[in-house]
């Protein structure tokens, strides 16, 4: 069952209840949920990181893979690897809730501060929460 899959990932009963109570129809279809879990595994995220991430942000399961891919492409455009993206997710999982436009505006702000593309990539990798600042 879907509940047992989340429990197998290491989620608590409370986190599982939070996930399965989500109104999004994607959560009611085990195949779509498994697809997203597999997608995040493909980035190199461990089961523990995925469990924590989904437990805190179940709405990510409702995002399209195109949306997720556009965020990956944005990071790759900075020169970051999938390993870097996995590391960022582990530290700042909210990054998947940000739009590509928001990410771009944060990068532009850092550029206006005088940072080069390489320096922006370093800041984003070492302090990814900067992307969530308003």
């Amino acid at each position: 069952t879907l509940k047992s899959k989340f429990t197998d990932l290491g989620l608590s009963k409370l986190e599982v209840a939070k996930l399965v109570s989500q109104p999004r129809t994607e959560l009611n279809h085990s195949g779509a949920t498994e697809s997203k879990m597999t997608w995040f595994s493909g980035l190199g995220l461990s089961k523990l990181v995925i469990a924590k991430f989904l437990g805190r942000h179940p709405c990510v399961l409702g995002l399209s893979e195109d949306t997720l891919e556009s965020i990956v492409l944005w990071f790759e455009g900075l020169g970051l690897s999938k390993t870097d993206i996995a590391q960022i997710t582990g530290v700042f999982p909210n990054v998947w809730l940000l739009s590509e436009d928001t990410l771009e505006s944060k990068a532009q702000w850092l550029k206006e501060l005088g940072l080069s593309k390489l320096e922006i990539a370093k800041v984003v990798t070492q302090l990814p929460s900067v992307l969530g600042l308003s």
Side-chain angles (χ1 to χ4, degrees):
T1 68
L2 188 56
K3 288 182 182 182
S4 66
K5 290 186 187 303
F6 288 128
T7 304
D8 291 347
L9 278 174
L11 291 172
S12 70
K13 288 182 180 182
L14 181 62
E15 290 169 324
V16 171
K18 181 179 171 184
L19 269 170
V20 298
S21 70
Q22 291 297 304
R24 294 190 179 270
T25 57
E26 292 88 344
L27 292 174
N28 298 324
H29 301 328
S30 178
T33 301
E34 287 181 36
S35 172
K36 292 286 172 40
M37 292 164 53
T38 300
W39 190 91
F40 280 107
S41 293
L43 281 179
L45 294 172
S46 69
K47 285 186 176 184
L48 179 60
V49 171
I50 294 171
K52 287 182 179 180
F53 172 52
L54 295 179
R56 291 183 183 141
H57 305 289
C59 60
V60 171
L61 290 172
L63 297 175
S64 72
E65 287 189 20
D66 288 342
T67 299
L68 299 173
E69 285 293 337
S70 72
I71 293 170
V72 169
L73 290 173
W74 185 85
F75 281 120
E76 289 175 340
L78 282 179
L80 300 180
S81 67
K82 288 194 191 264
T83 302
D84 295 327
I85 298 168
Q87 177 186 339
I88 289 166
T89 301
V91 175
F92 185 64
N94 295 17
V95 72
W96 298 100
L97 304 176
L98 303 173
S99 70
E100 190 176 351
D101 289 341
T102 298
L103 294 170
E104 192 55 44
S105 70
K106 301 302 179 187
Q108 183 60 36
W109 174 71
L110 292 168
K111 186 176 180 180
E112 289 170 5
L113 291 175
L115 277 66
S116 68
K117 184 176 177 180
L118 182 62
E119 291 169 324
I120 293 170
K122 188 174 181 179
V123 167
V124 166
T125 304
Q126 293 180 351
L127 187 63
S129 60
V130 73
L131 296 171
L133 298 175
S134 57

